[in-house]
Amino acid sequence: MRRLPIYLLLDVSESMVGANLRHLQQGLARLIATLRTDPHALESVFLSTIVFAGKARTLTPLTELALFYPPRLPAGSGTSLGAALEHLMDELDRNIVAGSAERKGDWRPVVYLMTDGKPTDDIEPALKRWHAKYAQRVTLVAIGIGAHAALPVLHRLTENVLSLDVNGEEDFKRFVDWVSRSVAAQSRSVATAGGGVNLAKLDDGIMRKIGALENAGTVDEDLVVLTGRCQTNALPYLMKYERNLHHLGQGGLDMKVDLYKLTGVFAMEQDYDELSDARALLRTVNTDALVGSPGCPHCGNPIGFAMCGCGQIMCIRGEGPATCPGCGKACNFTAGDGEGFDVARSRG
Ligand SMILES: [Zn+2]
Ligand SMILES: [Zn+2]
């Protein structure tokens, strides 16, 4: 029995948190359920799930389809694509059985890489290693999710770059079904013809193949994600703001003002820290540009956007003394006086 190794290399960075990550989680379950109805896939497919944010981690080692249980997807800060590729190549080295005179090795592995952002680490060493040793014997399908995926970067990895434009759950299901059909087609092709790369016909409504010369253009910083920490249980939470361009037309002057509107607040688990970049990701954003201030999703404190002098964003009940979950120091909050701290925004 020759194995057909399928690797899912999934971006679980903070920009994915929310609908994308939920869809991915549901999609994983749907993918497995669908593939299990396919006799060829059941016979040959082995799956592995690797996630990456600031760091990469294997959630499921290469496991035969019948025994594969979809793991819970964690999240973290950062998009270390370089680290993710290095991790993937180490896994390939460890797990892929090469053919020899005595035994038949694994079929050519297929990697589905999904990401929605730009790499935050240096990917050059990983790219070099990939092209030197892996590109010839591993099929990589890179899928950029949404408008901000760094498609040109993905194109330096592989010819197979797809841009996915999903609008809600139904679209994502169609995409997952496309992955299922591609994996099933691949397992049929190794069973009958012994090779070749088989991707199912693209579902034009939601995805398109990106040509090498078609660059995605410059990516705007349309998303601001701020990480807070709950004063009560010390767990992290994410506040997502999306850009909203405002035109202030006055007396023939057209002034554009960037405002970021709150679109969601998400409670994170402890493993958020484990997958995050150790180095601080300092993104400065003028708090005046942020519209909307959420409460804490962990403990229900009404103000989720207070800042300690150390830079840690935390939740507070209101004015008065508090303890910073970042540095452990006692601080005292008063509305809007800026001595080492300020309650950045009132409810917007
Ligand atoms: Zn809290
Ligand atoms: Zn602090």
Side-chain angles (χ1 to χ4, degrees):
M1 173 51 21
R2 298 179 70 178
R3 306 185 301 176
L4 172 59
I6 306 282
Y7 284 85
L8 303 175
L9 186 57
L10 308 174
D11 178 350
V12 293
S13 62
E14 50 205 359
S15 54
M16 290 286 289
V17 169
N20 276 350
L21 203 56
R22 196 173 65 245
H23 290 153
L24 210 51
Q25 183 77 65
Q26 293 163 349
L28 203 51
R30 184 178 173 87
L31 175 69
I32 302 311
T34 311
L35 283 178
R36 281 198 183 146
T37 63
D38 186 291
H40 290 293
L42 269 177
E43 219 165 82
S44 55
V45 168
F46 278 63
L47 277 164
S48 173
T49 327
I50 301 171
V51 292
F52 67 100
K55 294 171 187 161
R57 189 206 293 165
T58 299
L59 291 186
T60 327
L62 210 52
T63 304
E64 94 178 82
L65 176 59
L67 302 177
F68 184 93
Y69 186 81
R72 181 188 74 84
L73 299 177
S77 171
T79 308
S80 297
L81 181 59
L85 291 168
E86 299 281 5
H87 185 95
L88 169 73
M89 291 184 278
D90 292 344
E91 287 277 306
L92 291 166
D93 286 347
R94 261 196 300 275
N95 297 311
I96 298 305
V97 179
S100 65
E102 296 84 49
R103 60 168 185 190
K104 287 183 169 178
D106 291 331
W107 295 111
R108 182 185 174 97
V110 184
V111 178
Y112 289 89
L113 160 65
M114 286 178 224
T115 178
D116 74 337
K118 283 180 295 198
T120 52
D121 65 344
D122 179 13
I123 67 159
E124 298 305 326
L127 269 175
K128 247 177 117 177
R129 183 179 167 200
W130 176 261
H131 285 294
K133 196 175 156 199
Y134 302 85
Q136 316 311 319
R137 55 186 186 91
V138 179
T139 299
L140 176 64
V141 183
I143 297 137
I145 303 176
H148 310 302
L151 302 175
V153 173
L154 299 180
H155 234 292
R156 296 183 57 202
L157 265 174
T158 174
E159 281 297 289
N160 303 310
V161 179
L162 305 175
S163 170
L164 180 66
D165 184 17
V166 286
N167 212 332
E169 210 172 312
E170 272 314 304
D171 280 358
F172 207 85
K173 273 187 189 163
R174 284 165 63 185
F175 165 65
V176 169
D177 290 343
W178 173 83
V179 177
S180 313
R181 284 198 303 276
S182 295
V183 172
Q186 189 68 20
S187 66
R188 244 188 316 281
S189 117
V190 295
T192 57
V197 181
N198 266 279
L199 297 178
K201 188 176 177 306
L202 290 186
D203 188 335
D204 297 334
I206 49 166
M207 43 205 309
R208 63 200 173 94
K209 184 159 178 171
I210 301 301
L213 294 175
E214 186 184 354
N215 281 356
T218 49
V219 180
D220 284 329
E221 201 62 77
D222 280 358
L223 186 69
V224 173
V225 184
L226 298 170
T227 310
R229 204 167 277 282
C230 175
Q231 201 191 152
T232 311
N233 66 8
L235 287 176
Y237 55 89
L238 299 186
M239 295 174 284
K240 283 184 134 180
Y241 290 85
E242 256 163 53
R243 189 172 180 219
N244 215 318
L245 202 61
H246 280 251
H247 291 270
L248 299 179
Q250 263 188 348
L253 268 175
D254 185 24
M255 274 176 63
K256 281 184 221 150
V257 180
D258 275 339
L259 287 178
Y260 292 83
K261 277 181 87 171
L262 180 71
T263 56
V265 55
F266 304 92
M268 294 286 109
E269 302 294 326
Q270 198 58 57
D271 54 13
Y272 178 81
D273 294 326
E274 290 156 25
L275 267 181
S276 296
D277 263 331
R279 67 200 155 95
L281 257 180
L282 279 185
R283 248 190 295 206
T284 55
V285 56
N286 187 337
T287 50
D288 285 343
L290 300 179
V291 181
S293 172
C296 176
H298 287 293
C299 72
N301 268 345
I303 299 169
F305 200 147
M307 197 184 284
C308 170
C310 74
Q312 176 69 56
I313 297 173
M314 60 195 272
C315 75
I316 55 173
R317 189 166 305 151
E319 290 189 50
T323 306
C324 170
C327 66
K329 285 200 183 125
C331 33
N332 189 42
F333 285 94
T334 49
D337 88 32
E339 242 215 282
F341 47 76
D342 49 319
V343 177
R345 303 279 304 187
S346 59
R347 298 191 156 271

